[in-house]
Amino acid sequence: ASAERQAVFLWQVRWAEYSEETWLTEAETRYRMMLRLMGQNHARFIVPTYDIDLMWHTHMAFPEDYRKDSLRLAGRVVPHDD
């Protein structure tokens, strides 16, 4: 089931704008904002947009950086459910 969801996700983030520098910079900014929001709202379930989720998956590919940045921005290591 997870592989099927990831296939859909990867299809949705394959568009050309997903490799443009401006788009990526803005997506990273939105991702950082989401981590801060998650730090302020531990009990709430926050659903990321596709661009934010792409940044999130990419960030988690670097576990040490993810842990450090997550602690700094959210005050905790934020789990990802997928």
Side-chain angles (χ1 to χ4, degrees), residues 3-19:
E4 290 175 7
R5 287 191 303 274
Q6 289 305 310
V8 171
F9 171 72
L10 291 173
W11 182 85
Q12 291 167 326
V13 296
R14 76 183 191 332
W15 307 107
E17 64 267 14
Y18 283 72
S19 60

Side-chain angles (χ1 to χ4, degrees), residues 28-71:
E28 181 182 1
T29 298
R30 288 188 293 275
Y31 168 65
R32 289 175 186 270
M33 290 170 60
M34 183 200 69
L35 283 180
R36 288 186 192 103
L37 186 62
M38 289 178 151
Q40 298 167 359
N41 298 281
H42 292 246
R44 294 202 176 196
F45 184 73
I46 299 172
V47 178
T49 57
Y50 288 117
D51 61 332
I52 291 172
D53 204 29
L54 178 62
M55 294 294 126
W56 200 352
H57 280 265
T58 303
H59 200 190
M60 289 186 303
F62 301 89
E64 288 183 35
D65 291 334
Y66 179 72
R67 182 182 183 289
K68 178 187 67 162
D69 294 337
S70 189
L71 287 170

